[in-house]
Amino acid sequence: MTAPAPFGPLQFQLVLLRRMADHQPDLVEDARHELSASLAEMREANRRWQAMLRAPRGRGALRRYRSVLGEPESSVRRRVGDLECDALRWPLPLWPGLRFEVMAGPGGAVWNEWLVRAPGAPGPELGGVRDLRPWSCTVDEVARAFAPVRPMEGSAPTRWALALSDPADHRPYVAEFTWGLFQRLLPGTL
């Protein structure tokens, strides 16, 4: 029996795509083909990732990301309220204008993990909800463009939502994100 291929950036991208498939199956299908990966490989990558997450004596979250993605492209010290944390970022070939960011607190505890805009990469112009396109923007970009927004609990651990209103007609909406990347817009309530 042959050992499975090492779990690296390709498999990690397949894990990200697996969760995004719930909202954007066509984009995921195109991305999977771009990565030359089969559905079976995507399922297997997700199975292995879930096993790593649940392993009783597995690596800590930050060590797991380093083992899968290698050394980060950048690491910056940030202050969040009274606490200091490290923002570590890795490039992913599927999203060249984005970086996978892990916010780690003292002792390597991971506080947040999502896709963010790469430094110097142009973001989208967001003048209204008509400009929101799947996979075009991040949580932070939408929060700034539609401020004030109200963060909402997502429907799964890797999902976020923002309640916002369109500046043109002031109607309420909910923007949904997976791994920090915009997926879809739903009608909201006031």
Side-chain angles (χ1 to χ4, degrees):
M1 179 187 259
T2 60
F7 197 99
L10 169 64
Q11 291 77 16
F12 182 69
Q13 290 174 103
L14 293 173
V15 168
L16 300 183
L17 290 173
R18 175 64 190 92
R19 180 63 76 185
M20 292 180 191
D22 296 338
H23 297 310
Q24 294 298 330
D26 293 339
L27 289 176
V28 167
E29 184 72 7
D30 292 345
R32 190 176 56 75
H33 285 293
E34 187 177 326
L35 294 173
S36 301
S38 69
L39 274 171
E41 288 170 312
M42 188 165 77
R43 282 192 297 270
E44 177 62 12
N46 192 61
R47 186 198 65 74
R48 288 177 63 194
W49 180 255
Q50 294 301 321
M52 282 189 270
L53 293 177
R54 290 170 175 68
R57 290 189 303 263
R59 299 178 176 110
L62 186 54
R63 287 185 59 213
R64 182 175 46 254
Y65 283 117
R66 285 180 184 274
S67 74
V68 168
L69 299 173
E71 284 303 307
E73 175 182 81
S74 67
S75 179
V76 178
R77 189 67 123 168
R78 285 201 192 137
R79 184 172 275 300
V80 179
D82 292 339
L83 301 173
E84 284 197 2
C85 63
D86 292 310
L88 297 92
R89 292 181 174 178
W90 289 267
L92 295 174
L94 194 54
W95 294 285
L98 301 174
R99 295 295 179 264
F100 189 76
E101 180 182 78
V102 172
M103 300 286 286
V110 171
W111 294 346
N112 195 27
E113 50 212 323
W114 60 6
L115 291 162
V116 298
R117 186 71 48 199
E125 299 229 0
L126 301 174
V129 295
R130 71 191 174 289
D131 298 325
L132 294 172
R133 303 275 183 271
W135 294 17
S136 69
C137 47
T138 64
V139 170
D140 186 53
E141 291 166 335
V142 172
R144 279 187 314 228
F146 294 92
V149 299
R150 183 173 44 89
M152 302 171 66
E153 190 170 323
S155 59
T158 59
R159 293 193 179 144
W160 293 264
L162 295 175
L164 55 91
S165 66
D166 189 332
D169 63 16
H170 304 289
R171 283 197 283 190
Y173 294 93
V174 174
E176 293 189 331
F177 303 82
T178 302
W179 292 105
L181 195 58
F182 177 71
Q183 300 297 311
R184 66 182 182 171
L185 188 68
L186 302 170
T189 58
L190 292 174

